[in-house]
Amino acid sequence: MIDLYYWTTPNGHKITLFLEETGLDYKIIPVDIAKGEQFEPSFLEIAPNNRIPALVDHSPAQGDEPIAIFESGAMLVYLAEKTGQFLSDDLRVRHDTLQWLFWQMAGLGPMAGQNHHFNVYAPEKIQYAIDRYVNETGRLYGVLNKRLADREFIAGDYSIADMACYPWVVPHERQGQNLDDFPHLKRWFDAIKQRPATVRAYEKAKEINQGPTITTDEARKILFGQSAKTVR
Ligand SMILES: N[C@@H](CCC(=O)N[C@@H](CS)C(=O)NCC(=O)O)C(=O)O
């Protein structure tokens, strides 16, 4: 049994996409980040960066002690190795998958995240910041679109690289992107959207939380008022 510490955000969805594909036995432990539940000491022990997602695997492949993992990219690699699925054993395909996974973790995720921040949440609309992140998100969409021009999925068969990228393309409208400008990306997006596991993963999210996460000043303070003092 895997405990998944989760909230209904793109990084959370990456892991439910994987778990729903494989049918691994898991339990969702909601961590409402708008209420500050990511600062609970028991959660910080598992995820010292006070961010979801995180997991605890109670029956790891080695040893009797449960294993805890945070960072969605590390979690996807862990789960792929545990199950032998969605990360090829072939050296070239494996590292192709990993480089695109790292690309998502270091590029698409953080840039689209800043895009959401300045485009949607920031109390002041700073045009320079909005343009910077909308343009950079567009550039990254362009890179992915080009990559998908001559292949069905990002690296070999459907993999953890696709699962990492897909949830960050779901909010394309709020990122100021039009999928019609990226036809190969759009074809890939529509194909993943229709996978039964994807449908189940997003249905699960609705059972936990239906509305947007950040709706109150209190939530904004919790999420956007963090500094070094927060971790002391
Ligand atoms: N690089 C991390 C990012 C995780 C992340 O930013 N999680 C957000 C939700 S998508 C969060 O938990 N935010 C809580 C907070 O900012 O306190 C990962 O991929 O796991």
Side-chain angles (χ1 to χ4, degrees), residues 9-11 14 33 38-39 50-53 71-73 105 223 226:
T9 70
N11 290 317
K14 290 175 187 173
I33 58 173
Q38 67 274 39
F39 296 106
N50 66 265
R51 300 278 189 275
I52 64 94
E71 278 295 325
S72 59
M105 294 299 297
L223 288 162
Q226 297 177 24

Side-chain angles (χ1 to χ4, degrees), residues 7-15 31-34 36 38-39 43 49-54 70-75 104-106 109-110 168 213 222-224 226 230:
W7 195 245
T8 54
T9 70
N11 290 317
H13 298 318
K14 290 175 187 173
I15 312 302
V31 179
D32 187 340
I33 58 173
Q38 67 274 39
F39 296 106
F43 179 67
N49 195 37
N50 66 265
R51 300 278 189 275
I52 64 94
F70 69 99
E71 278 295 325
S72 59
M75 294 166 71
Q104 189 289 319
M105 294 299 297
W168 281 98
T213 291
I222 290 167
L223 288 162
F224 306 139
Q226 297 177 24
T230 316

Side-chain angles (χ1 to χ4, degrees), residues 9-232:
T9 70
N11 290 317
H13 298 318
K14 290 175 187 173
I15 312 302
T16 47
L17 285 179
F18 186 100
L19 291 166
E20 287 298 328
E21 286 286 345
T22 54
L24 271 176
D25 195 13
Y26 73 101
K27 181 173 88 190
I28 289 183
I29 301 179
V31 179
D32 187 340
I33 58 173
K35 291 197 179 135
E37 291 176 2
Q38 67 274 39
F39 296 106
E40 288 292 327
S42 57
F43 179 67
L44 289 175
E45 247 173 64
I46 297 162
N49 195 37
N50 66 265
R51 300 278 189 275
I52 64 94
L55 67 76
V56 175
D57 182 358
H58 293 277
S59 47
Q62 289 175 14
D64 299 330
E65 286 291 300
I67 181 166
I69 317 263
F70 69 99
E71 278 295 325
S72 59
M75 294 166 71
L76 287 171
V77 172
Y78 176 82
L79 291 169
E81 288 181 344
K82 180 181 173 74
T83 57
Q85 294 183 69
F86 301 109
L87 178 60
S88 174
D89 286 334
D90 176 276
L91 182 81
R92 283 169 184 78
V93 181
R94 185 177 188 86
H95 286 278
D96 219 7
T97 308
L98 290 173
Q99 74 186 353
W100 282 96
L101 174 67
F102 277 62
W103 175 87
Q104 189 289 319
M105 294 299 297
L108 182 62
M111 293 302 132
Q114 294 303 320
N115 179 331
H116 293 174
H117 183 79
F118 287 107
N119 213 1
V120 181
Y121 300 122
E124 304 163 57
K125 294 291 166 232
I126 306 165
Q127 201 55 45
Y128 179 88
I130 293 171
D131 290 347
R132 159 82 186 139
Y133 291 111
V134 169
N135 287 338
E136 180 60 4
T137 307
R139 188 189 71 79
L140 291 162
Y141 273 44
V143 170
L144 198 48
N145 184 55
K146 211 165 164 186
R147 172 72 182 174
L148 290 163
D150 59 355
R151 67 199 77 221
E152 194 178 355
F153 295 111
I154 294 174
D157 296 334
Y158 185 57
S159 74
I160 55 175
D162 301 290
M163 293 175 202
C165 290
Y166 174 81
W168 281 98
V169 179
V170 171
H172 51 270
E173 281 172 12
R174 65 162 29 182
Q175 295 165 9
Q177 308 302 322
N178 179 353
L179 282 195
D180 291 335
D181 297 338
F182 307 97
H184 309 299
L185 179 64
K186 187 173 195 295
R187 186 256 314 141
W188 166 91
F189 179 80
D190 289 339
I192 297 177
K193 189 175 180 181
Q194 283 163 28
R195 294 177 74 89
T198 307
V199 174
R200 286 197 300 276
Y202 281 80
E203 283 300 318
K204 275 258 156 81
K206 280 193 219 146
E207 288 168 22
I208 308 275
N209 169 42
Q210 300 204 340
T213 291
I214 307 162
T215 51
T216 62
D217 283 347
E218 182 59 19
R220 267 183 276 274
K221 216 185 282 169
I222 290 167
L223 288 162
F224 306 139
Q226 297 177 24
S227 68
K229 284 190 192 131
T230 316
V231 282
R232 267 183 217 140

